[in-house]
Amino acid sequence: MTPFLDLKAINAAHRSDLLAAFERVLDSGWYVMGQELQAFEAEYAAWCGAAHCVGVGNGLEALTLVLRAWGIGPGDEVIVPANTYIATWLAVTHVGATPVPVEPDERSFNIDPALIEAAITPRTRALLPVHLYGRPAEMAPILDSARRHGLRVLEDGAQAHGALYRGQRLGAHGDAVAWSFYPGKNLGALGDGGAITTNDAALAERLRVLRNYGSRVKYRNEAIGWNSRLDELQAALLRCKLPALEAENQHRAAVAHQYLQGLQGLQHCGLMLPQLPAEATSSSAWHLFVVRHPERDRLATALAGAGVGTVIHYPQAPHLQPAYAGLGLAAGTLPISERLHAQVLSLPIGPTQTAAQTEAVVAALRAAVGAPARPRHDAVTA
Ligand SMILES: *Cc1c(COP(=O)(O)O)cnc(C)c1O
């Protein structure tokens, strides 16, 4: 059996630390906006190589609060990837602005930098690239476009904790990065959580006010704020898991390389594998390992029959969701994204997945696409 993601096993590896952290918070008598949050913010900012970290309630609110802090609202446009989790678009909609989708580069699944300039209008205020599936977006050309047109860059890092772009962890390549600590992310809490990292001290200060009722001093409200805080318990639990994140990501990378080796050369069977980032100094956080096949649904059924869990990220593009019917983007308007949504399949990957479990996925997938079984001596030892 290879489950898609074994959250229980992932957190069991931290069990005694998590229990100690729970007791520490319980006994402190202080549950919101305290020392655990402050300590986590300092530790996560340092880990990401960013000057500031502001903890918030979840990833969607991290994105939304940054757009609001920049004063983006009705009449403004924000450029988003056509293929992403819908939260990226929702943040733009929640501040009253319009998401303007740009198609991906099929090789990376990420927003195609070459298509961004054509989508920029006088109303464009920001670019919102997503590091989809853990692979860093092409930040250099994205930042070039932003500088040329005087736009801000907000990165959606929800799937990419620890990914490297040109030798540096994500965290401050753009003007701000929004993070999610939803349980299934590479750095996952035991509930909802989120944060923003940035090198911009004024932005960090504004976010601290906005997340807390628009208040710096209790009962004095200077802005129309939210209640969006990373609570003490989740901050304490995340502090237990952060020191292991690099090793957990390296384990994910080993799983990915076992897949890449075991499934290579099957283009003639219709199987397309994810590509590695182009630059030697960049690397994916391997949040997801996503393959493509014209008969994706048949493969998912065959794998389920062999005891292998898979998930589709995502079955429907945001512009075709009922929620976005109002944008009037009919089927066929974003063909690359639509084709990807019809073909992608996420294989199991995680920090506790064993080499034998990965090998079982390779064998089941090879059989499903009609490829010969691998000779025994090929079986990987990782
Ligand atoms: C998970 C996710 C989010 C939203 O994070 P939440 O904490 O669940 O609100 C945003 N963008 C992407 C790409 C995500 O994967």
Side-chain angles (χ1 to χ4, degrees):
M1 287 289 291
T2 309
F4 178 70
L5 183 67
D6 192 346
L7 277 182
K8 192 170 151 178
I10 288 169
N11 287 319
H14 302 280
R15 184 182 177 87
S16 56
D17 287 346
L18 293 172
L19 289 172
F22 176 79
E23 285 194 7
R24 193 168 72 234
V25 174
L26 176 68
D27 294 342
S28 76
W30 191 279
Y31 306 118
V32 176
M33 300 281 276
Q35 287 177 6
E36 298 289 345
L37 175 62
Q38 253 184 25
F40 173 73
E41 288 177 339
E43 289 158 13
Y44 193 63
W47 197 84
C48 291
H52 309 277
C53 170
V54 180
V56 295
N58 55 62
L60 172 57
E61 290 171 352
L63 291 162
T64 310
L65 289 171
V66 173
L67 297 175
R68 178 56 62 94
W70 285 340
I72 294 176
D76 295 334
E77 294 176 353
V78 176
I79 291 179
V80 296
N83 65 319
T84 177
Y85 182 56
I86 197 167
T88 315
W89 289 42
L90 292 177
V92 177
T93 306
H94 279 309
V95 299
T98 302
V100 175
V102 165
E103 289 265 60
D105 179 334
E106 288 197 66
R107 292 164 300 180
S108 68
F109 297 112
N110 278 326
I111 194 166
D112 187 340
L115 303 178
I116 287 178
E117 299 256 342
I120 293 174
T121 77
R123 290 167 178 258
T124 309
R125 296 284 310 280
L127 308 181
L128 210 178
V130 178
H131 306 296
L132 198 67
Y133 306 151
R135 180 185 161 135
E138 278 305 323
M139 291 307 294
I142 291 170
L143 293 169
D144 281 350
S145 291
R147 299 302 166 245
R148 249 197 312 279
H149 296 269
L151 306 173
R152 314 242 196 203
V153 178
L154 169 58
E155 303 165 61
D156 182 337
Q159 303 189 356
H161 317 73
L164 296 181
Y165 184 74
R166 295 192 172 173
Q168 264 191 306
R169 280 194 186 134
L170 298 180
H173 291 82
D175 298 296
V177 187
W179 303 96
S180 165
F181 306 122
Y182 179 76
K185 310 292 191 191
N186 284 30
L187 180 60
L190 272 60
D192 278 311
I196 300 106
T197 54
T198 180
N199 283 343
D200 180 342
L203 173 65
E205 185 54 32
R206 178 113 187 103
L207 291 168
R208 288 183 202 287
V209 171
L210 284 177
R211 73 173 168 185
N212 190 33
Y213 304 113
S215 173
R216 208 180 303 251
V217 179
K218 205 165 184 177
Y219 303 132
R220 187 181 131 71
N221 303 87
E222 59 191 82
I224 304 290
W226 277 264
N227 173 359
S228 179
R229 300 171 305 205
L230 180 64
D231 63 62
E232 287 290 282
L233 184 56
Q234 298 304 339
L237 300 176
L238 288 166
R239 291 182 69 200
C240 299
K241 295 181 73 176
L242 182 59
L245 180 54
E246 180 58 31
E248 292 189 351
N249 279 351
Q250 276 171 21
H251 187 99
R252 287 172 180 273
V255 172
H257 285 281
Q258 192 179 340
Y259 280 142
L260 290 171
Q261 201 178 6
L263 298 168
Q264 69 189 335
L266 299 181
Q267 294 88 336
H268 62 288
C269 299
L271 189 71
M272 286 170 275
L273 297 178
Q275 298 192 4
L276 301 175
E279 293 187 56
T281 53
S282 299
S283 66
S284 176
W286 292 111
H287 175 58
L288 296 171
F289 189 94
V290 178
V291 300
R292 288 173 61 190
H293 193 278
E295 294 169 71
R296 177 268 312 280
D297 293 332
R298 182 178 67 72
L299 298 193
T301 306
L303 289 172
V308 173
T310 59
V311 177
I312 296 166
H313 296 92
Y314 297 88
Q316 184 75 286
H319 70 285
L320 299 178
Q321 295 283 356
Y324 278 114
L327 286 181
L329 296 170
T333 48
L334 296 164
I336 301 173
S337 177
E338 290 168 31
R339 183 163 65 244
L340 290 179
H341 281 81
Q343 296 185 343
V344 290
L345 185 66
S346 304
L347 304 182
I349 190 165
T352 62
Q353 187 166 312
T354 66
Q357 285 177 314
T358 305
E359 200 54 37
V361 180
V362 168
L365 188 53
R366 290 184 72 95
V369 300
R374 291 213 295 164
R376 199 101 186 95
H377 67 266
D378 258 16
V380 171
T381 49

